[in-house]
Amino acid sequence: MSLETKQREQWGSRVAFILAAAGSAVGLGNIWRFPYVVGTNGGAAFVIIYLFIIALIGYPMMVTEMAIGQKTKRNAIGAFRDLAPNTPWWVAGALGVLAGFVILSFYSVVAGWTLSYFFKTLAGDLGVGTDFVGTFIGHITSDWAPLFWHFVFMGLTLGIIGLGVVKGIEKTVKILMPALFVLLIALVGRALTLPGAGAGVEFLIKPDFSKITAQSILGAVGQAFFTLSLGMGCMITYGSYLDDKENINDNAAWVVGLDTAVALIAGFAIFPAVFALGFDPAAGGGLAFITLPAVFASMPGGTIFGAAFFLLLAVAALTSAISLLEVVVAYYIDEKGWSRQKASLIIGTLIFILGIPASLSMGRWSGFTILGYNFFDFLDFLQESILLPVGGLLTAIFAGYVWSAKKTREHSNINKSAIRLGTWFDVLIMYVSPIAVSVVMVTGLVDKLK
Ligand code: LEU
């Protein structure tokens, strides 16, 4: 059905919107990526820098994307077209749609690993004495198992999106988000009561600024965009289903606050356990799949807590994945007049297909490289170094100079809210965000390509 015959859906309540947007933000980025980035960048000092970036760039960008969506009630591309007709600004939205497509293809592969690890842990396959490195490498380099779980995960994602904003997304996040918080708190309780957990807490709260390098600051900005789902059209799309009576400022603060809280809590669930059992906090991307199963295997109640952890990761990933698929699906519904079911099925299948070489590039197809990256890492490079920063930069410039900071601010201030945006917002969106993002992007690219 096209727009003319069917009314655009809206969130049923303010809480539904906050849970959906927080569900998008909270994902593998918080529970898998944040702890390992903190671990490899020296701990507390990195956390402090990250918190500054979240406040100075993350929050204003979150407000901006939600405002663009709410104001126009359009998908990411249509929104820019609506605010700046007959200009090439729609490209900023197109980058978001492309980012949603690309990110989901490999995000789903990693989410598939977590599903598989959930069942492995539950079945007791990851017990004491397991070769955790070998098991992980063995899993991700094999042909069929990761593809099967990628298929299952994409199936769930497109099934939910096919049901729609209220019956699909809203229903799912209302059940899964509270479950996620309960699981996370249970895990922190377990981790903090392990003997020797104090060293892990210290690692997260005692800063050592000598560990900070230019690379860690770049890492913090990249992590902020990824974890808040910025620069990929998600918050524009979710904002477009938000009633005009709802305020943006406080809702955005809730989403940013919840996302940050979950990342920090995940840190407090993971590092105390890692330190208590004598593992290396700087183990990198393997922290969740290699170090943690080892931690779980060697602690009392490990099977249950281990399974809970991987379930938590899968749930968090699912509420993020649906937001990525919705970005692309909303575009085809709004602009091409496709039905929701058709768009979910076709786009979901194409994303699944793009994920196949990403998954196989860990093993059988590892010899195929682009710019020296295997296919999986190439997609990650593309989103992290090009799509998100360029998309974010264009969005900030658009809001600051084209729609204008004043109008963005006035739109966000229309409804009653505890937080009022003042001219400080103009400074952040016109100068701080674009300059910081450009510096990060250029430095990052130069560094990667040299
Ligand atoms: N914000 C999500 C996360 O932290 C990722 C995004 C790509 C939807 O996992």
Side-chain angles (χ1 to χ4, degrees), residues 385-406:
S385 305
I386 298 173
L387 296 174
L388 296 196
V390 179
L393 179 64
L394 291 180
T395 307
I397 295 176
F398 178 84
Y401 300 90
V402 182
W403 190 20
S404 87
K406 187 161 167 277

Side-chain angles (χ1 to χ4, degrees), residues 24-30 103 107 226-229 232 234 320 323-324:
S24 167
V26 174
L28 296 172
N30 304 60
I103 295 175
Y107 197 84
F226 189 83
T227 189
L228 293 174
S229 304
M232 51 189 96
C234 288
S320 298
S323 72
L324 289 170

Side-chain angles (χ1 to χ4, degrees), residues 38 41-49 202-209:
V38 171
N41 283 287
F46 177 86
V47 174
I48 294 172
I49 291 176
E202 205 164 276
F203 181 72
L204 281 172
I205 59 175
K206 263 211 181 142
D208 171 3
F209 282 98

Side-chain angles (χ1 to χ4, degrees), residues 283-351:
L287 195 61
F289 293 99
I290 296 171
T291 311
L292 287 180
V295 168
F296 293 128
S298 52
M299 74 188 209
T303 306
I304 294 297
F305 283 100
F309 175 79
F310 285 109
L311 183 64
L312 176 85
L313 261 183
V315 164
L318 187 61
T319 57
S320 298
I322 57 180
S323 72
L324 289 170
L325 183 57
E326 182 63 21
V327 170
V328 191
V329 163
Y331 168 72
Y332 280 91
I333 298 177
D334 281 1
E335 307 291 321
K336 307 282 175 206
W338 288 14
S339 75
R340 172 166 284 279
Q341 288 71 24
K342 174 178 162 187
S344 319
L345 189 65
I346 295 182
I347 308 301
T349 307
L350 290 176
I351 292 176

Side-chain angles (χ1 to χ4, degrees), residues 204-219:
L204 281 172
I205 59 175
K206 263 211 181 142
D208 171 3
F209 282 98
S210 67
K211 299 246 176 71
I212 294 301
T213 60
Q215 276 304 320
S216 28
I217 299 176
L218 302 186

